[in-house]
Amino acid sequence: MKKLVLIATLVAASMAQPGWAADKPRAKNSCVSPGAIEAEQAIRYVTDLMIVSSVCQDTVYAEFRLRNRDVIVGYQKALIARFHGNAGFDRWNTSLANAAAQKQGGNQQLCQQSVQLLKQATALDPNGFRAYAVAQAAADTQTPKCAK
């Protein structure tokens, strides 16, 4: 378990181009822009893929990052703006990676359960990844959305 958290933290830190950050508590009446919600969904996907690929000793994550580098960096920049700088983004992303690693830690069937995720990530190019993030953002009913 400790190994998973350490791996997640190290990989997240090494991915920090330009960086990952921490979520600030939202004010009661605050809202999040659709673009920021899309970016958050995308980075959540990347983080889940990182954990699964690491645990399952698969190269899909590295290949996905190379193929989608520019899109990922764009999403990171959007979240850096949302979290008011690299430090905030780093805290949020580290927290996200640690939570994902803890959720998956000790799951003996993780690799079997993640076959679809790995298969999907293998096929996602930048346009497909953007479309996925947009669809996830549209389906997000938990985050208060700002009017356009």
Side-chain angles (χ1 to χ4, degrees):
M1 177 61 160
K2 289 179 183 178
K3 183 178 177 183
L4 275 177
V5 173
L6 177 61
I7 289 170
T9 303
L10 290 174
V11 174
S14 71
M15 284 181 51
Q17 293 177 12
W20 303 87
D23 199 2
K24 297 186 190 247
R26 290 186 195 119
K28 276 188 177 180
N29 295 326
S30 71
C31 60
V32 180
S33 73
I37 296 170
E38 177 185 335
E40 183 175 324
Q41 292 299 323
I43 297 303
R44 287 181 182 279
Y45 181 86
V46 171
T47 302
D48 287 344
L49 181 60
M50 173 189 64
I51 300 298
V52 169
S53 189
S54 178
V55 170
C56 299
Q57 298 178 358
D58 197 302
T59 61
V60 171
Y61 170 71
E63 294 161 3
F64 178 85
R65 280 211 55 224
L66 284 173
R67 193 173 50 253
N68 293 287
R69 182 187 184 289
D70 293 340
V71 177
I72 293 168
V73 168
Y75 285 136
Q76 288 173 332
K77 287 180 179 179
L79 289 175
I80 287 168
R82 176 178 174 209
F83 294 119
H84 308 290
N86 286 342
F89 177 64
D90 289 340
R91 284 188 301 274
W92 175 80
N93 194 67
T94 299
S95 174
L96 179 66
N98 286 340
Q102 288 175 351
K103 183 174 91 175
Q104 302 303 340
N107 182 351
Q108 300 300 319
Q109 296 148 352
L110 175 64
C111 298
Q112 293 172 350
Q113 294 169 347
S114 301
V115 169
Q116 283 304 114
L117 172 68
L118 296 170
K119 186 176 179 179
Q120 178 189 41
T122 300
L124 284 177
D125 62 5
N127 289 333
F129 182 43
R130 279 190 203 97
Y132 173 84
V134 167
Q136 292 301 111
D140 181 347
T141 59
Q142 301 298 313
T143 306
K145 296 174 175 90
C146 298
K148 291 183 181 184

